[in-house]
């Protein structure tokens, strides 16, 4: 049974940085993209970033491009999201997502439970 466990969320001041981690277990992730979506109450889940098995296969949403770096550790089936220069619009629940394409919610096979990120002004 595949499990994705996120960690690293919390409260951060505007302009600050945060690093999210997601550890996968119970499955084979080689053929999947591993990444992140986020959701604000009352809004649809939004793609943030994803990373394929191969190095250099990162994809970012325009809203975070230049401020976020996604990395993947294939030996530990883990994916990380380092976010810089955070602002209030980054406040959301961040979900680890594993899927065949990774950028669209309909292609996600597995979800984590989410971790809250709150940016205070």
């Amino acid at each position: 049974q595949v499990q994705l466990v996120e960690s690293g969320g919390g409260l951060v001041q505007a302009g600050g940085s945060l690093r999210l981690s997601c550890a996968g277990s119970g499955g084979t992730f080689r053929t999947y993209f591993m990444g992140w979506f986020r959701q604000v109450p009352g809004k649809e889940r939004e793609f943030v970033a994803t990373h394929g098995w191969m190095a250099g296969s990162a994809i970012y949403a325009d809203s975070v491009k230049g401020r976020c770096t996604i990395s993947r550790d294939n030996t530990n089936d883990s994916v990380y999201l380092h976010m810089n220069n955070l602002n209030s619009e980054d406040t959301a629940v961040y979900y680890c997502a594993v899927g065949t394409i990774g950028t669209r919610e309909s292609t996600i096979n597995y979800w984590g439970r989410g971790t809250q990120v709150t940016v205070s002004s």
Side-chain angles (χ1 to χ4, degrees):
Q1 181 179 356
V2 171
Q3 286 192 322
L4 303 173
V5 179
E6 302 100 334
S7 61
L11 177 65
V12 62
Q13 288 189 333
S17 300
L18 207 61
R19 183 176 183 254
L20 304 182
S21 302
C22 171
S25 63
T28 302
F29 299 93
R30 181 181 182 91
T31 59
Y32 291 110
F33 279 79
M34 297 185 72
W36 300 88
F37 281 69
R38 65 187 181 186
Q39 189 171 27
V40 174
K43 293 189 177 182
E44 294 184 354
R45 208 172 293 193
E46 174 191 27
F47 166 69
V48 178
T50 194
H51 201 297
W53 178 263
M54 302 297 290
S57 60
I59 304 172
Y60 297 93
D62 288 342
S63 59
V64 302
K65 199 173 293 184
R67 298 189 298 119
C68 290
T69 301
I70 188 170
S71 58
R72 177 170 175 167
D73 183 349
N74 293 330
T75 61
N76 293 317
D77 291 327
S78 296
V79 65
Y80 309 94
L81 184 68
H82 193 105
M83 300 185 289
N84 296 314
N85 195 21
L86 288 161
N87 58 64
S88 59
E89 293 184 351
D90 296 314
T91 295
V93 176
Y94 283 72
Y95 295 92
C96 184
V98 171
T100 53
I101 295 177
T103 59
R104 287 180 283 170
E105 192 172 351
S106 61
T107 65
I108 299 302
N109 299 79
Y110 307 104
W111 293 98
R113 291 192 172 189
T115 184
Q116 176 71 47
V117 171
T118 302
V119 182
S120 64
S121 56

